[in-house]
Amino acid sequence: MGKSISTTSNTQTTNTTPATFKAGDSVLCPSLSSSPFVLSNDPRGKRDLLALTHDGSYFYYDAQGYFVPACDKETGDYQPSLFHDTPANRAAITTLYAVPGTTSIKLIDLTDHDDDEVILMSSCMLSDTACEVLGSAEVMHDIGQLLYLIYNEEISPNQAKSMARLVHDTTDRWHNILSRLLDTLNKPLEQTKFGKVEG
């Protein structure tokens, strides 16, 4: 994993397994948050420093590798531990920084060897997504069955009219459900190289 301390966009490290960082990298900083950060160049453009945003404020790294909050003029009082945001590093950090008495997060890594971006998603969110996909698939199957009955003239015109009204209401409701699901999935996708999915 390699502990590294980022100081400028040229980055200095203080370990035997050097890690380099650059603007745009997704990184983990357990001393600030369990969520990943994206490094950027100094947004004010006045210093050759890498920065990250936390709680609505920018944090910089000075020449000694200390945190310098944007609102401070003096160096902070501790050095950060910065890691690349990879499944292996997340698993190690979860183990190393786990609070005694709490349950560690179980990570299920389904990434391929050439994946360079990873999105963490709770199993609850994944289960909800799968349930909504299943629901929409069942609706599509039922509509196919109805169209088959109409095609073979196995129901009367009045029955077909009533069923068509029910199908319209059902598809309209599922369109709204899937649109909300797409909005949820697009939020993390917007932060990736793929961007959000649009119709």
Side-chain angles (χ1 to χ4, degrees), residues 102-140:
T102 62
T103 302
S104 298
I105 297 174
K106 178 183 179 181
L107 292 178
I108 302 173
D109 186 2
L110 298 181
T111 58
D112 292 326
H113 70 280
D114 58 347
D115 286 334
D116 58 2
E117 285 186 321
V118 177
I119 296 175
L120 287 178
M121 176 187 294
S122 71
S123 57
C124 180
M125 180 179 177
L126 183 60
S127 176
D128 289 345
T129 301
C131 287
E132 290 175 354
V133 169
L134 175 61
S136 62
E138 289 177 340
V139 168
M140 294 297 293

Side-chain angles (χ1 to χ4, degrees), residues 118-199:
V118 177
I119 296 175
L120 287 178
M121 176 187 294
S122 71
S123 57
C124 180
M125 180 179 177
L126 183 60
S127 176
D128 289 345
T129 301
C131 287
E132 290 175 354
V133 169
L134 175 61
S136 62
E138 289 177 340
V139 168
M140 294 297 293
H141 178 265
D142 291 344
I143 292 173
Q145 293 289 88
L146 174 61
L147 292 175
Y148 181 79
L149 293 175
I150 293 174
Y151 174 79
N152 288 291
E153 298 180 348
E154 295 183 19
I155 58 176
S156 69
N158 284 337
Q159 289 174 322
K161 184 177 180 180
S162 297
M163 294 301 296
R165 184 171 57 253
L166 291 174
V167 167
H168 173 269
D169 294 342
T170 301
T171 54
D172 187 57
R173 183 172 69 253
W174 273 100
H175 175 267
N176 292 332
I177 291 172
L178 294 178
S179 293
R180 289 195 298 271
L181 175 60
L182 181 59
D183 289 340
T184 300
L185 296 177
N186 269 335
K187 289 179 180 178
L189 281 174
E190 286 180 315
Q191 304 175 49
T192 72
K193 63 185 177 184
F194 296 100
K196 68 179 182 180
V197 177
E198 296 181 299

Side-chain angles (χ1 to χ4, degrees), residues 22-25 38-43 49-53 58:
K22 63 184 183 302
D25 283 352
V38 176
L39 291 176
S40 64
N41 290 318
D42 179 4
L49 299 176
L50 289 174
L52 58 82
T53 305
Y58 284 107

Side-chain angles (χ1 to χ4, degrees), residues 14-66:
T14 60
N15 62 2
T16 56
T17 308
T20 57
F21 301 94
K22 63 184 183 302
D25 283 352
S26 180
V27 298
L28 301 167
C29 189
S31 56
L32 281 183
S33 172
S34 59
S35 300
F37 298 95
V38 176
L39 291 176
S40 64
N41 290 318
D42 179 4
R44 297 184 180 180
K46 298 179 180 179
R47 297 173 289 186
D48 185 24
L49 299 176
L50 289 174
L52 58 82
T53 305
H54 176 60
D55 285 343
S57 179
Y58 284 107
F59 283 75
Y60 302 94
Y61 298 99
D62 68 5
Q64 288 75 44
Y66 287 86

